[in-house]
Amino acid sequence: MDYDLMRKRLVEAREHIGYNRKEFAEKVNIPYRTITNYENGSREAGSDYLTTVATICGVTTDWLLGVSDIKNPPSMTEATLGESDHISLEGSNDLLVALGLIKQGQQLSDDDLAFLTHIIGLLEAWFDKTR
């Protein structure tokens, strides 16, 4: 694990939502000095703190830890549904990137799209049957 990257991402996440250390310490009910130690690398942040930061700042713990470069993948609903209840091509790509099945910028082939359309049709039929 890259502790320097994690430290930088903790700072970036906090600053992204507009909090200084003191304000953030009050929000999460953790001493200011503890947050300072996490962010300057003199103390390793624990899983509870990482989960709290991820939740409050809208990022993933994988991103904070440096495991992923996807800061805040869209939820399945955000990624796939637009104004209607139909899955968009862009939304499908976003979802597949968020799931780690394709790389950012990679496009699905026509055969892949046809296959996914078929699978989606089967899922729709299944859920209609079970309602």
Side-chain angles (χ1 to χ4, degrees):
M1 180 180 344
D2 186 343
Y3 292 107
D4 191 47
L5 179 59
M6 181 176 67
R7 177 186 66 75
K8 289 176 183 174
R9 287 185 173 181
L10 286 170
V11 173
E12 182 181 333
R14 174 182 53 76
E15 289 177 345
H16 179 72
I17 62 168
Y19 283 86
N20 62 36
R21 284 184 187 159
K22 183 177 182 201
E23 294 166 335
F24 198 71
E26 290 170 3
K27 180 162 184 68
V28 298
N29 199 29
I30 292 177
Y32 168 83
R33 189 76 186 133
T34 301
I35 291 176
T36 299
N37 289 337
Y38 291 157
E39 292 185 0
N40 71 19
S42 61
R43 183 171 173 192
E44 185 180 332
S47 60
D48 287 344
Y49 182 70
L50 293 171
T51 303
T52 299
V53 171
T55 301
I56 291 172
C57 298
V59 298
T60 65
T61 52
D62 282 352
W63 179 79
L64 287 172
L65 292 168
V67 174
S68 170
D69 287 332
I70 299 173
K71 188 175 189 176
N72 49 357
S75 69
M76 185 170 180
T77 302
E78 291 171 344
T80 58
L81 299 179
E83 294 293 316
S84 69
D85 287 340
H86 298 308
I87 296 173
S88 70
L89 175 59
E90 180 181 308
S92 298
N93 283 339
D94 291 345
L95 178 61
L96 293 171
V97 169
L99 293 171
L101 299 174
I102 63 173
K103 292 182 179 11
Q104 186 72 40
Q106 184 179 355
Q107 297 296 314
L108 297 175
S109 70
D110 289 341
D111 288 341
D112 291 337
L113 289 172
F115 177 74
L116 286 176
T117 301
H118 178 72
I119 295 296
I120 291 166
L122 291 173
L123 289 170
E124 287 173 343
W126 172 260
F127 284 108
D128 283 343
K129 180 178 113 177
T130 60
R131 287 184 189 167

Coordinates of all heavy atoms in Angstrom, one line a residue, residues 67-130:
V67 N -5.9 1.8 -4.1 CA -6.2 0.5 -4.8 C -6.8 0.8 -6.1 O -6.6 0.0 -7.1 CB -7.1 -0.4 -3.9 CG1 -7.5 -1.7 -4.6 CG2 -6.4 -0.7 -2.6
S68 N -7.6 1.9 -6.2 CA -8.3 2.2 -7.4 C -8.1 3.7 -7.7 O -7.9 4.5 -6.8 CB -9.8 1.9 -7.3 OG -10.5 2.4 -8.3
D69 N -8.1 4.0 -9.0 CA -8.1 5.4 -9.4 C -9.5 6.0 -9.6 O -9.6 7.1 -10.0 CB -7.2 5.6 -10.6 CG -5.7 5.5 -10.3 OD1 -5.3 5.7 -9.2 OD2 -5.0 5.0 -11.2
I70 N -10.5 5.2 -9.4 CA -11.9 5.6 -9.6 C -12.3 6.2 -8.3 O -12.5 5.5 -7.3 CB -12.8 4.5 -10.0 CG1 -12.3 3.9 -11.3 CG2 -14.2 5.0 -10.1 CD1 -13.1 2.7 -11.8
K71 N -12.4 7.6 -8.3 CA -12.6 8.3 -7.0 C -14.0 8.1 -6.5 O -14.2 7.8 -5.3 CB -12.4 9.8 -7.3 CG -12.5 10.7 -6.1 CD -12.1 12.1 -6.5 CE -11.9 13.0 -5.3 NZ -11.5 14.3 -5.7
N72 N -15.0 8.2 -7.3 CA -16.4 8.0 -6.9 C -17.2 7.4 -8.0 O -17.9 8.2 -8.7 CB -17.0 9.3 -6.3 CG -16.8 10.5 -7.2 OD1 -16.2 10.3 -8.3 ND2 -17.3 11.6 -6.9
P73 N -17.2 6.1 -8.1 CA -17.9 5.5 -9.3 C -19.4 5.8 -9.1 O -19.9 5.8 -8.0 CB -17.6 4.0 -9.1 CG -17.2 3.8 -7.7 CD -16.6 5.1 -7.3
P74 N -20.1 5.9 -10.2 CA -21.5 6.1 -10.2 C -22.2 4.9 -9.6 O -21.8 3.8 -9.7 CB -21.9 6.4 -11.6 CG -20.9 5.7 -12.4 CD -19.6 5.8 -11.6
S75 N -23.3 5.2 -8.9 CA -24.1 4.0 -8.5 C -24.8 3.4 -9.7 O -24.8 3.9 -10.8 CB -25.3 4.5 -7.5 OG -26.2 5.3 -8.3
M76 N -25.2 2.2 -9.5 CA -25.8 1.5 -10.6 C -26.9 2.3 -11.3 O -27.0 2.4 -12.5 CB -26.3 0.1 -10.2 CG -26.8 -0.7 -11.3 SD -27.2 -2.4 -10.8 CE -27.7 -3.1 -12.3
T77 N -27.8 2.9 -10.5 CA -28.9 3.7 -11.0 C -28.4 4.9 -11.7 O -28.8 5.2 -12.9 CB -29.8 4.1 -9.9 OG1 -30.3 3.0 -9.2 CG2 -31.0 4.9 -10.4
E78 N -27.4 5.6 -11.2 CA -26.9 6.8 -11.8 C -26.2 6.4 -13.1 O -26.2 7.1 -14.1 CB -25.9 7.5 -10.9 CG -26.5 8.2 -9.7 CD -25.4 8.7 -8.8 OE1 -24.2 8.2 -8.9 OE2 -25.7 9.5 -7.9
A79 N -25.5 5.3 -13.1 CA -24.7 4.9 -14.3 C -25.5 4.4 -15.4 O -25.2 4.6 -16.6 CB -23.7 3.8 -13.9
T80 N -26.7 3.8 -15.1 CA -27.4 3.2 -16.2 C -28.7 3.8 -16.6 O -29.1 3.7 -17.7 CB -27.7 1.7 -15.8 OG1 -28.5 1.8 -14.6 CG2 -26.5 0.9 -15.6
L81 N -29.3 4.6 -15.7 CA -30.6 5.2 -16.1 C -30.5 6.7 -16.3 O -29.9 7.4 -15.5 CB -31.6 4.9 -15.0 CG -31.9 3.4 -14.7 CD1 -32.9 3.3 -13.6 CD2 -32.4 2.7 -15.9
G82 N -31.1 7.1 -17.3 CA -31.1 8.6 -17.6 C -32.5 9.1 -17.2 O -33.0 8.7 -16.2
E83 N -33.1 9.9 -18.1 CA -34.4 10.4 -17.9 C -35.5 9.3 -17.9 O -36.5 9.4 -17.3 CB -34.7 11.5 -18.9 CG -33.9 12.7 -18.8 CD -34.1 13.5 -17.6 OE1 -35.3 13.7 -17.2 OE2 -33.1 13.9 -16.9
S84 N -35.2 8.2 -18.6 CA -36.2 7.2 -18.7 C -35.7 6.0 -18.0 O -34.7 6.0 -17.3 CB -36.4 6.8 -20.2 OG -35.2 6.2 -20.7
D85 N -36.4 4.9 -18.1 CA -36.0 3.6 -17.4 C -35.2 2.8 -18.3 O -35.0 1.6 -18.1 CB -37.3 2.8 -17.0 CG -38.0 3.5 -15.8 OD1 -37.3 4.3 -15.1 OD2 -39.1 3.2 -15.6
H86 N -34.6 3.3 -19.4 CA -33.8 2.5 -20.3 C -32.3 2.8 -20.0 O -31.9 3.9 -19.7 CB -34.1 2.9 -21.8 CG -35.5 2.6 -22.1 ND1 -36.1 1.3 -21.9 CD2 -36.5 3.3 -22.6 CE1 -37.4 1.4 -22.3 NE2 -37.7 2.6 -22.7
I87 N -31.5 1.7 -20.3 CA -30.1 1.8 -20.0 C -29.5 2.5 -21.3 O -29.7 2.1 -22.4 CB -29.5 0.4 -19.8 CG1 -30.1 -0.2 -18.6 CG2 -28.0 0.5 -19.8 CD1 -29.7 -1.6 -18.3
S88 N -28.7 3.5 -21.0 CA -28.0 4.2 -22.1 C -26.6 3.6 -22.3 O -26.1 2.9 -21.5 CB -27.7 5.7 -21.7 OG -26.8 5.8 -20.7
L89 N -26.1 3.7 -23.5 CA -24.8 3.2 -23.9 C -23.7 3.8 -23.0 O -22.9 3.1 -22.4 CB -24.5 3.5 -25.3 CG -23.1 3.1 -25.8 CD1 -22.9 1.6 -25.6 CD2 -22.9 3.4 -27.3
E90 N -23.8 5.1 -22.8 CA -22.8 5.8 -21.9 C -22.9 5.3 -20.5 O -21.9 5.0 -19.8 CB -23.0 7.3 -22.0 CG -22.0 8.0 -21.1 CD -22.2 9.5 -21.2 OE1 -22.3 10.1 -22.3 OE2 -22.3 10.1 -20.1
G91 N -24.1 5.1 -20.0 CA -24.3 4.6 -18.7 C -23.8 3.2 -18.5 O -23.3 2.9 -17.5
S92 N -24.0 2.4 -19.5 CA -23.5 1.0 -19.5 C -22.0 1.0 -19.4 O -21.4 0.3 -18.6 CB -24.0 0.3 -20.7 OG -25.4 0.2 -20.8
N93 N -21.4 1.9 -20.2 CA -19.9 1.9 -20.1 C -19.4 2.4 -18.8 O -18.5 1.8 -18.2 CB -19.4 2.9 -21.2 CG -19.4 2.2 -22.6 OD1 -19.4 1.0 -22.7 ND2 -19.3 3.0 -23.6
D94 N -20.1 3.4 -18.2 CA -19.7 3.9 -16.9 C -19.9 2.8 -15.8 O -19.0 2.6 -15.0 CB -20.6 5.1 -16.5 CG -20.3 6.4 -17.3 OD1 -19.3 6.4 -17.9 OD2 -21.2 7.3 -17.2
L95 N -20.9 2.0 -15.9 CA -21.1 1.0 -15.0 C -20.1 -0.1 -15.1 O -19.5 -0.6 -14.1 CB -22.5 0.3 -15.1 CG -22.8 -0.8 -14.2 CD1 -22.8 -0.4 -12.8 CD2 -24.2 -1.4 -14.6
L96 N -19.7 -0.5 -16.3 CA -18.7 -1.5 -16.6 C -17.3 -1.1 -16.1 O -16.6 -1.8 -15.6 CB -18.7 -1.9 -18.0 CG -20.0 -2.6 -18.5 CD1 -20.0 -2.8 -20.0 CD2 -20.2 -4.0 -17.8
V97 N -17.1 0.2 -16.3 CA -15.8 0.8 -15.7 C -15.8 0.7 -14.2 O -14.8 0.3 -13.6 CB -15.6 2.3 -16.2 CG1 -14.4 2.9 -15.5 CG2 -15.3 2.3 -17.7
A98 N -16.9 1.2 -13.6 CA -17.0 1.2 -12.2 C -16.9 -0.2 -11.6 O -16.3 -0.4 -10.5 CB -18.3 1.8 -11.7
L99 N -17.3 -1.2 -12.3 CA -17.2 -2.6 -11.8 C -15.9 -3.2 -12.2 O -15.6 -4.3 -11.8 CB -18.3 -3.5 -12.5 CG -19.8 -3.1 -12.0 CD1 -20.8 -3.9 -12.9 CD2 -19.9 -3.4 -10.6
G100 N -15.0 -2.5 -12.9 CA -13.7 -3.0 -13.2 C -13.7 -4.0 -14.4 O -12.7 -4.7 -14.6
L101 N -14.8 -4.0 -15.2 CA -14.9 -5.0 -16.3 C -14.2 -4.4 -17.5 O -13.8 -5.2 -18.4 CB -16.3 -5.4 -16.5 CG -17.0 -6.0 -15.3 CD1 -18.5 -6.3 -15.5 CD2 -16.3 -7.4 -14.9
I102 N -14.2 -3.1 -17.7 CA -13.5 -2.5 -18.8 C -12.8 -1.3 -18.3 O -13.0 -0.8 -17.2 CB -14.5 -2.1 -20.0 CG1 -15.5 -1.0 -19.5 CG2 -15.2 -3.3 -20.6 CD1 -16.3 -0.4 -20.6
K103 N -11.8 -0.8 -19.1 CA -11.0 0.3 -18.7 C -11.7 1.6 -19.2 O -12.4 1.6 -20.1 CB -9.6 0.2 -19.3 CG -8.8 -0.9 -18.8 CD -7.4 -0.8 -19.4 CE -6.5 -1.8 -19.0 NZ -6.3 -2.9 -18.3
Q104 N -11.4 2.7 -18.4 CA -12.0 4.0 -18.8 C -11.6 4.3 -20.3 O -10.5 4.2 -20.7 CB -11.4 5.1 -17.9 CG -12.0 6.5 -18.1 CD -13.4 6.5 -17.6 OE1 -13.7 6.0 -16.5 NE2 -14.3 7.2 -18.3
G105 N -12.6 4.7 -21.1 CA -12.3 5.1 -22.5 C -12.5 3.9 -23.4 O -12.6 4.0 -24.6
Q106 N -12.5 2.7 -22.9 CA -12.7 1.5 -23.7 C -14.1 1.4 -24.1 O -15.1 1.7 -23.4 CB -12.3 0.2 -22.9 CG -12.3 -1.1 -23.7 CD -11.9 -2.3 -22.8 OE1 -11.5 -2.1 -21.7 NE2 -12.0 -3.4 -23.4
Q107 N -14.4 1.0 -25.4 CA -15.7 0.9 -25.9 C -16.1 -0.5 -26.1 O -15.2 -1.4 -26.4 CB -15.9 1.7 -27.2 CG -15.6 3.2 -27.1 CD -16.7 3.8 -26.2 OE1 -17.9 3.6 -26.3 NE2 -16.2 4.7 -25.3
L108 N -17.4 -0.8 -26.0 CA -17.9 -2.2 -26.2 C -18.0 -2.4 -27.7 O -18.4 -1.5 -28.5 CB -19.2 -2.4 -25.5 CG -19.2 -2.3 -24.0 CD1 -20.6 -2.4 -23.5 CD2 -18.3 -3.4 -23.4
S109 N -17.8 -3.6 -28.2 CA -18.0 -4.0 -29.6 C -19.5 -4.1 -29.8 O -20.3 -4.2 -28.9 CB -17.2 -5.3 -29.9 OG -17.9 -6.4 -29.3
D110 N -19.8 -4.1 -31.1 CA -21.2 -4.4 -31.5 C -21.7 -5.7 -31.0 O -22.9 -5.8 -30.5 CB -21.4 -4.3 -33.0 CG -21.3 -2.8 -33.5 OD1 -21.4 -1.9 -32.7 OD2 -21.0 -2.7 -34.7
D111 N -20.9 -6.7 -31.0 CA -21.2 -8.0 -30.5 C -21.5 -8.0 -29.0 O -22.4 -8.6 -28.5 CB -20.2 -9.1 -30.8 CG -20.1 -9.5 -32.3 OD1 -21.1 -9.2 -33.0 OD2 -19.1 -10.0 -32.7
D112 N -20.6 -7.3 -28.3 CA -20.8 -7.1 -26.8 C -22.1 -6.4 -26.5 O -22.8 -6.8 -25.6 CB -19.6 -6.3 -26.2 CG -18.3 -7.0 -26.3 OD1 -18.3 -8.3 -26.3 OD2 -17.3 -6.3 -26.2
L113 N -22.4 -5.4 -27.3 CA -23.6 -4.6 -27.0 C -24.8 -5.5 -27.3 O -25.8 -5.5 -26.6 CB -23.7 -3.4 -27.9 CG -22.7 -2.2 -27.5 CD1 -22.7 -1.1 -28.6 CD2 -23.1 -1.7 -26.2
A114 N -24.8 -6.3 -28.4 CA -25.9 -7.2 -28.7 C -26.1 -8.2 -27.6 O -27.2 -8.5 -27.2 CB -25.7 -7.9 -30.0
F115 N -25.0 -8.8 -27.1 CA -25.1 -9.7 -26.0 C -25.7 -9.1 -24.7 O -26.5 -9.7 -24.1 CB -23.7 -10.3 -25.7 CG -23.6 -11.2 -24.5 CD1 -24.1 -12.5 -24.6 CD2 -23.1 -10.8 -23.3 CE1 -24.1 -13.4 -23.6 CE2 -23.1 -11.7 -22.2 CZ -23.6 -13.0 -22.4
L116 N -25.2 -7.9 -24.4 CA -25.7 -7.2 -23.2 C -27.2 -6.9 -23.3 O -28.0 -7.0 -22.4 CB -25.0 -5.9 -22.9 CG -23.6 -6.1 -22.3 CD1 -22.9 -4.8 -22.2 CD2 -23.6 -6.8 -21.0
T117 N -27.6 -6.5 -24.5 CA -29.0 -6.2 -24.8 C -29.9 -7.5 -24.6 O -30.9 -7.4 -24.0 CB -29.2 -5.7 -26.3 OG1 -28.4 -4.5 -26.4 CG2 -30.7 -5.4 -26.6
H118 N -29.3 -8.6 -25.0 CA -30.0 -9.9 -24.8 C -30.2 -10.2 -23.3 O -31.2 -10.6 -22.9 CB -29.3 -11.0 -25.6 CG -29.9 -12.3 -25.4 ND1 -31.1 -12.7 -26.0 CD2 -29.5 -13.4 -24.7 CE1 -31.4 -13.9 -25.6 NE2 -30.4 -14.4 -24.8
I119 N -29.1 -10.0 -22.6 CA -29.1 -10.3 -21.2 C -30.1 -9.4 -20.4 O -30.8 -9.8 -19.6 CB -27.6 -10.2 -20.6 CG1 -26.7 -11.2 -21.1 CG2 -27.7 -10.2 -19.0 CD1 -27.1 -12.6 -20.8
I120 N -30.1 -8.1 -20.8 CA -31.0 -7.2 -20.2 C -32.4 -7.6 -20.5 O -33.3 -7.5 -19.6 CB -30.7 -5.7 -20.7 CG1 -29.3 -5.3 -20.1 CG2 -31.8 -4.8 -20.3 CD1 -28.7 -4.1 -20.7
G121 N -32.7 -8.0 -21.7 CA -34.0 -8.5 -22.0 C -34.5 -9.7 -21.2 O -35.6 -9.7 -20.7
L122 N -33.5 -10.6 -21.0 CA -33.8 -11.7 -20.1 C -34.1 -11.3 -18.7 O -35.0 -11.8 -18.0 CB -32.6 -12.7 -20.1 CG -32.4 -13.5 -21.4 CD1 -31.1 -14.3 -21.4 CD2 -33.6 -14.4 -21.7
L123 N -33.3 -10.4 -18.2 CA -33.5 -9.8 -16.8 C -34.9 -9.1 -16.7 O -35.6 -9.3 -15.7 CB -32.4 -8.9 -16.4 CG -31.0 -9.6 -16.2 CD1 -29.9 -8.5 -16.0 CD2 -31.1 -10.5 -14.9
E124 N -35.2 -8.3 -17.7 CA -36.5 -7.6 -17.6 C -37.6 -8.6 -17.6 O -38.6 -8.5 -16.9 CB -36.6 -6.7 -18.8 CG -35.8 -5.5 -18.7 CD -35.8 -4.6 -20.0 OE1 -36.2 -5.1 -21.1 OE2 -35.4 -3.4 -19.9
A125 N -37.5 -9.7 -18.5 CA -38.6 -10.7 -18.5 C -38.7 -11.4 -17.2 O -39.8 -11.7 -16.7 CB -38.3 -11.7 -19.6
W126 N -37.5 -11.7 -16.6 CA -37.5 -12.4 -15.3 C -38.2 -11.6 -14.2 O -39.0 -12.1 -13.5 CB -36.1 -12.8 -14.9 CG -36.0 -13.3 -13.5 CD1 -35.6 -12.6 -12.3 CD2 -36.3 -14.6 -13.0 NE1 -35.7 -13.4 -11.2 CE2 -36.1 -14.6 -11.6 CE3 -36.8 -15.7 -13.7 CZ2 -36.4 -15.8 -10.9 CZ3 -37.0 -16.9 -12.9 CH2 -36.8 -16.9 -11.5
F127 N -37.8 -10.3 -14.1 CA -38.4 -9.5 -13.1 C -39.8 -9.1 -13.3 O -40.6 -9.0 -12.4 CB -37.5 -8.2 -12.9 CG -36.3 -8.4 -12.2 CD1 -35.1 -8.4 -12.8 CD2 -36.3 -8.8 -10.8 CE1 -33.9 -8.7 -12.2 CE2 -35.1 -9.0 -10.1 CZ -33.9 -9.0 -10.8
D128 N -40.3 -9.1 -14.6 CA -41.7 -8.9 -14.9 C -42.5 -10.1 -14.4 O -43.5 -10.0 -13.9 CB -41.9 -8.7 -16.4 CG -41.6 -7.3 -16.8 OD1 -41.4 -6.4 -15.9 OD2 -41.4 -7.0 -18.0
K129 N -41.9 -11.3 -14.6 CA -42.5 -12.6 -14.2 C -42.6 -12.7 -12.7 O -43.6 -13.2 -12.2 CB -41.6 -13.7 -14.7 CG -42.2 -15.1 -14.4 CD -41.3 -16.1 -15.0 CE -40.6 -16.9 -13.9 NZ -39.8 -18.0 -14.3
T130 N -41.7 -12.1 -11.9 CA -41.7 -12.3 -10.5 C -42.4 -11.2 -9.7 O -42.6 -11.2 -8.5 CB -40.2 -12.3 -9.9 OG1 -39.6 -11.1 -10.2 CG2 -39.5 -13.5 -10.5

